[in-house]
Every structure is written in structure tokens, then in C-alpha cells.
């Protein structure tokens, strides 16, 4: 570690929070040899085992970094059908992804796998450490920890969750709507037969789409039940007695619940940070946006923030970033978060037991029988429908490219290093001058309908064409000036 003196920095980037967003960002930065320190305030992993779903786009990103097999070994694949507002429609055929499924996996496993990945790449992680304050100047950020220690870095990124200390100290507004309702969720054993539970749940869900008591294996059930109101302290988990009371109020029985593995509550608060960057301090993940868990998008949104930000921040530190590159993090990712906030608002409304929302739900259920509607909503929830605004051009421009077949293997196998790539079917193009940042994949057999594409490190198509000068112009736009 370099000493903090004479303008030297102890780290290039300090990341507050080692959840999935912070760990993924650390790994992306380490792919570019950026010196990273991750501060995690917790000393031990979470004691509860909440199951989350990795969506198609997140699975693609794991494949792009050579991580997918690690996740597949620890998760369970299931259909993407029925994920919008829990409307039971099958997944459409021919979704534009080689990973057209959801992967159910315990969140502690996700945390562990991504943290290990970051450490393997050389990131430093300190547990039991949290940011207490910071000051930034034109050259860097001085970060003070809760124990009084001071650290110096070029940039600070807050990945420290919905109650982000970094965001609050930065003075960035977090407007939106507070929770109007709360839901209790937990995993526990029950004392009645499965057949009795299934019949009662089916009866209740005819009018209450939130309620569920689902077998989770090994005698454990996932219980989701509306709460009586909104708690004053949402950080305080509910009790088993509270679960029993709400189950009796709604189902007329508490199903003999006992031996909880974990209990939690979540609300429908919806908020979006006014800015993702102030000078040398940035926000990502739940520090930048919160929303109800409808559709299971939160963790995925944060991981995708990290992959979008990582290469851009690394480019800034390495000195080759075009002037406005880092600003594109906010211009690209904040609209995506706005869209997620809107679709979760809509899904919450569709779960209401009121006659109006139920009528809309019935209408949408009919509309989803049209393949185009069902496909559009699934692509929205799973983030494979995202298109960044890169200017006028073919529909593929700004979209991510699926994992296509190459002469030798698959495209994503060539993207593990987190560099840009030119996939060239013409075999006439070159990346001379940018070869320290961009790889050339010359393959006339590539399963691509255009002559060539320029892929950013996050897999989005930044250029389509076949002429060298046009390619050079776009290489300069995204990857800076060439090296002579």
C-alpha cells in the first residue's frame, strides 16, 4: 500500500458496502488493475437465508465474466413466466437470451460468490468498518472511518444501501414516496398438512395476490402476509407472534407456524437519488434507488449499475476516459431506475384488493395472452429490453448483444477481461491504437446479422458498420484517444 504523502493515494477507489453491488463493482475495477478497498460495516454475514432471483441480464453478466457456473451450482433454475405482478402467464418462446430462465439462489450465496470474486482479483475488503465522514477536493476524497482512521482515495462510491451514509453526507436528495403498506416475509415450519395449506392459500389468493404460504423444502415454508400497518422502525424485524396474528386475521388460522429461520418486513417505499455523482463521489445500488420487491428486480438493478460504472470509473483512473464518459453512468442508469420504480409501482397497484386495481389486473391478464405484451413485460423486468440512447441507428444500437456462437465457442467466453471488443465478420477491421483497451474478434462465421459491432465492456453495442474510419471515430468516443 502506498503511503499517503506527497500527493500519493492509498487507494484509487474506496467502496462503502460489500453487498452484491459493491462486490461486483470492486471486481469490475480490479479487471483494470484499479486499487480498491471495500468497507463493510457488518462483521458477520446475514443470519437469514433469503432467496433472490437472478434475472436474464444478470445471468448474462455473470457469463460475460466467467462466473455463471459458480452460480448455477448453487441455484435452482425456473421459468421467467408469471414474474410481472405474479400474473400466471407462461414465458414466451424464443426470448433473446441464451439464459432464458430465472435462477433462485440464497442472497448470502450471491454475496459470498461476488465477494470472493473481488478478492480473487485483488480487491481489499475490511469487515466491521464503516464511513463516518468524508471530504473531497479536486484531487481526491479523504474518508474518515467510525474509529477515527482516515483514508485517502481518488474516488468514493456509496454502495451502502437504502439508508446510505454516503448519500446523506453527500447531501443528495432522495425524493419519492414513503411506505404506505408493509408486508411480512419469512421462512418457518408449519403444523398442518400441505393439502390444507394449499386449499386455504388458493382461496385467499383469489382476492389477495400478496398472500402466500409456499413449501420451500425440508419442511420449511416461505410465508408472505400483509402487515397490519407500517412500523415506525422498519429495521426492526417482526416477531413470530406478529406473523401468527396476521395469518389468523387473513386466513382464520396461523397454520401452526413455528421455528422461524428468518423474519423480515418490507414496504412499498419508492425513492430515487436526484444525482448519482457529485464530483468524486458516486452512488450505486440501493444507495441510489429503492422500490418494492415486485418482480425481484432490486439486486439485479444494483449489479447492473456496477457493471455499467466499473469500466467507466476505471477508464477515468487509468487516464484514457473521454471527457464525458463518467457522466454517462448517470445518464444511462438513472432512467433505467426510473423505469423500474414505475413498473414496481404498477405491480403494487395490481396487487391491491380494491375493485379498481382488480379490474385493471383482469384486463392486463387478458392482454398478456398477446405474445407481444407478455414478451415486452418480461424483457422489461429481466432487463434484456434495455436500450441506451447512443443516437440514431439500427435497433441493435445501444442494446446488449446476446451470447452468440462463434467459430470457437461463444462470444461471452471472450469477454471475461472486461475490455471493449470489436466483433468483425468482414476480417478487414483493426483496433490498432486501442489494443490496450479493446480486443479484436475477427470471425466471419459469427452469428451476427451485421458486418461488425463495437461492444463496450458491459456488452452493449456502441457501433454497427464496416468502415474503419467510422469505427475509429466511435473507438475515440468510447475509449479515448489512440496510443501511437
Amino acid at each position: 500500500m502506498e503511503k499517503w504523502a506527497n500527493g500519493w493515494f492509498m487507494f484509487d477507489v474506496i467502496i462503502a458496502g460489500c453487498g452484491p453491488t459493491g462486490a461486483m463493482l470492486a471486481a469490475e475495477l480490479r479487471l483494470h488493475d484499479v486499487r480498491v478497498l471495500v468497507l463493510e460495516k457488518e462483521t458477520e454475514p446475514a443470519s437469514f437465508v433469503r432467496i433472490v432471483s437472478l434475472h436474464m441480464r444478470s445471468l448474462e453478466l455473470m457469463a460475460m465474466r466467467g462466473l455463471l457456473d459458480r452460480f448455477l451450482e448453487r441455484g435452482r433454475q425456473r421459468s421467467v413466466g408469471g414474474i410481472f405482478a405474479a400474473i400466471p402467464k407462461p414465458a414466451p418462446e424464443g426470448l433473446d437470451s441464451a439464459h432464458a430462465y430465472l435462477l433462485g439462489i440464497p442472497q448470502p450465496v450471491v454475496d459470498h460468490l461476488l465477494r470472493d470474486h473481488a478478492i480473487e482479483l485483488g480487491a481489499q475488503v475490511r469487515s466491521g468498518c464503516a464511513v463516518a465522514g468524508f471530504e473531497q477536493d479536486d484531487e481526491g476524497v479523504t474518508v474518515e472511518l467510525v474509529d477515527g482512521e482516515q483514508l485517502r482515495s481518488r474516488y468514493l462510491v456509496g454502495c451502502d444501501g437504502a439508508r446510505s451514509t454516503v448519500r446523506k453526507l453527500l447531501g443528495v436528495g432522495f425524493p419519492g414516496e414513503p411506505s404506505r403498506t408493509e408486508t411480512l416475509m419469512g421462512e418457518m415450519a408449519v403444523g398442518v398438512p400441505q393439502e390444507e395449506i394449499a386449499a386455504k392459500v388458493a382461496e385467499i389468493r383469489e382476492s389477495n395476490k400478496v398472500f402466500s404460504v409456499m413449501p420451500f423444502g425440508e419442511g420449511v415454508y416461505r410465508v408472505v402476509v400483509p402487515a397490519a400497518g407500517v412500523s415506525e422502525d422498519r429495521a426492526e424485524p417482526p416477531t413470530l407472534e406478529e406473523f401468527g396474528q396476521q395469518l389468523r386475521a387473513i386466513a382464520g388460522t396461523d397454520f401452526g407456524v413455528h421455528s422461524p429461520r428468518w423474519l423480515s418486513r418490507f414496504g412499498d417505499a419508492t425513492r430515487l437519488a436526484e444525482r448519482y455523482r457529485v464530483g468524486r463521489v458516486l452512488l450505486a445500488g440501493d444507495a441510489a434507488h429503492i422500490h418494492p420487491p415486485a418482480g425481484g428486480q432490486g439486486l439485479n438493478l444494483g449489479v447492473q449499475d456496477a457493471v455499467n460504472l466499473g469500466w467507466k470509473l476505471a477508464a477515468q483512473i487509468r487516464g484514457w476516459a473521454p471527457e464525458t464518459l463518467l457522466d454517462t453512468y448517470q445518464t444511462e442508469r438513472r432512467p433505467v431506475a426510473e423505469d423500474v420504480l414505475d413498473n414496481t409501482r404498477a405491480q403494487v397497484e395490481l396487487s391491491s384488493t380494491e375493485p379498481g386495481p382488480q379490474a385493471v389486473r383482469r384486463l392486463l391478464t387478458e392482454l398478456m395472452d398477446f405474445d407481444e405484451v407478455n414478451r415486452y413485460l418480461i424483457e422489461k423486468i429481466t432487463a434484456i429490453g434495455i436500450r441506451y440512447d447512443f443516437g440514431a441507428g439500427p435497433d441493435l444500437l445501444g442494446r446488449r448483444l446476446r451470447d452468440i456462437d462463434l467459430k470457437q465457442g461463444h462470444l461471452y467466453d471472450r469477454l471475461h477481461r472486461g475490455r471493449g471488443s470489436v466483433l468483425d465478420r468482414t476480417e478487414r477491421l483493426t483496433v490498432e491504437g486501442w489494443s490496450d483497451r479493446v480486443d479484436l474478434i475477427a470471425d466471419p462465421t459469427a452469428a451476427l446479422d451485421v458486418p461488425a459491432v463495437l461492444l463496450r465492456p458491459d456488452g452493449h453495442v456502441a457501433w454497427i458498420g464496416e468502415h474503419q474510419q467510422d469505427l475509429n471515430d466511435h473507438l475515440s468516443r468510447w475509449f479515448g484517444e489512440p496510443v501511437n
Side-chain angles (χ1 to χ4, degrees), residues 109-228:
V109 172
V110 176
D111 295 346
H112 174 73
L113 290 174
L114 291 179
R115 178 174 175 146
D116 281 358
H117 174 53
I119 292 172
E120 288 169 5
L121 291 173
Q124 294 187 41
V125 178
R126 292 192 195 176
S127 298
C129 293
V131 174
F134 61 82
E135 292 183 1
Q136 62 170 314
D137 52 49
D138 291 342
E139 300 298 326
V141 186
T142 302
V143 178
E144 182 174 349
L145 307 185
V146 292
D147 64 0
E149 181 183 2
Q150 290 191 339
L151 304 171
R152 183 75 168 157
S153 69
R154 298 182 187 276
Y155 289 88
L156 170 66
V157 185
C159 301
D160 49 344
R163 299 176 179 84
S164 170
T165 297
V166 173
R167 186 190 65 242
K168 293 173 183 176
L169 292 172
L170 195 58
V172 170
F174 204 38
E177 306 94 54
S179 287
R180 299 171 300 168
T181 63
E182 274 191 357
T183 303
L184 309 181
M185 178 185 293
E187 292 175 4
M188 60 203 73
V190 300
V192 298
Q194 160 65 17
E195 296 77 13
E196 181 179 332
I197 295 173
K200 178 60 72 173
V201 170
E203 174 188 334
I204 295 171
R205 282 184 60 83
E206 289 183 5
S207 59
N208 190 325
K209 304 302 181 184
V210 174
F211 184 89
S212 69
V213 183
M214 298 179 59
F216 191 63
E218 300 179 355
V220 175
Y221 282 68
R222 167 76 60 82
V223 178
V224 181
V225 58

Side-chain angles (χ1 to χ4, degrees), residues 409-478:
H410 303 280
L411 174 64
Y412 287 4
D413 294 335
R414 305 289 296 274
L415 307 181
H416 292 182
R417 294 194 295 167
R419 293 157 52 93
S421 300
V422 172
L423 178 55
D424 175 25
R425 297 182 70 247
T426 73
E427 297 186 292
R428 298 193 305 268
L429 299 174
T430 177
V431 295
E432 184 177 356
W434 290 272
S435 59
D436 60 327
R437 291 155 260 172
V438 180
D439 294 322
L440 178 64
I441 306 172
D443 186 347
T445 72
L448 194 64
D449 295 330
V450 295
V453 295
L454 170 62
L455 295 179
R456 306 190 318 181
D458 59 2
H460 281 259
V461 177
W463 170 80
I464 301 170
E466 56 184 319
H467 300 298
Q468 185 67 55
Q469 186 56 56
D470 192 22
L471 171 60
N472 289 352
D473 291 343
H474 284 79
L475 285 167
S476 294
R477 173 184 174 183
W478 291 107

Side-chain angles (χ1 to χ4, degrees), residues 2 42 55 79 92 94 117 136 189 196 270 273 286 313 335 347 350 373 395 416 429 431 474 478:
E2 296 174 2
E42 303 296 338
H55 288 170
S79 170
H117 174 53
Q136 62 170 314
E196 181 179 332
T270 306
D286 288 353
L313 186 52
Q347 292 182 76
L350 292 170
V373 176
D395 184 65
H416 292 182
L429 299 174
V431 295
H474 284 79
W478 291 107

Side-chain angles (χ1 to χ4, degrees), residues 13 18 73 97 102 167 199 201 306 354 366 384 455 470 473:
V13 180
C18 197
E73 290 172 0
S97 177
L102 296 179
R167 186 190 65 242
V201 170
E354 295 296 318
E366 294 178 11
I384 64 169
L455 295 179
D470 192 22
D473 291 343

Side-chain angles (χ1 to χ4, degrees), residues 28 56-58 60-61 64-65 96 300-301 303-309 311-312 325 328-329 331-333 336 379 382-390 394-403 411-412 415 418-423 438 448 450 452-464 471 474-475 477-479:
E28 291 295 292
M56 283 190 277
R57 182 56 183 150
S58 296
E60 290 181 342
L61 293 175
M64 285 169 52
R65 298 300 183 255
D96 182 37
N300 296 275
L301 183 61
V303 167
Q304 292 157 28
D305 283 349
V307 176
N308 184 283
L309 174 60
W311 70 278
K312 297 172 182 178
L325 181 64
T328 67
Y329 167 59
T331 59
E332 291 174 3
R333 293 304 298 172
V336 171
E379 290 181 351
T382 61
I384 64 169
I386 291 172
R387 186 189 188 202
Y388 297 137
D389 183 6
F390 294 168
D395 184 65
L396 181 60
L397 184 67
R399 297 188 184 276
R400 97 283 181 263
L401 186 62
R402 64 172 288 153
D403 190 11
L411 174 64
Y412 287 4
L415 307 181
R419 293 157 52 93
S421 300
V422 172
L423 178 55
V438 180
L448 194 64
V450 295
V453 295
L454 170 62
L455 295 179
R456 306 190 318 181
D458 59 2
H460 281 259
V461 177
W463 170 80
I464 301 170
L471 171 60
H474 284 79
L475 285 167
R477 173 184 174 183
W478 291 107
F479 296 95

Side-chain angles (χ1 to χ4, degrees), residues 11 20-21 71 75 133 178 248 263 298 322-323 347 400 413 421 447 472:
F11 301 97
T21 302
F71 285 85
R248 288 190 294 272
L263 305 173
E323 183 177 355
Q347 292 182 76
R400 97 283 181 263
D413 294 335
S421 300
N472 289 352

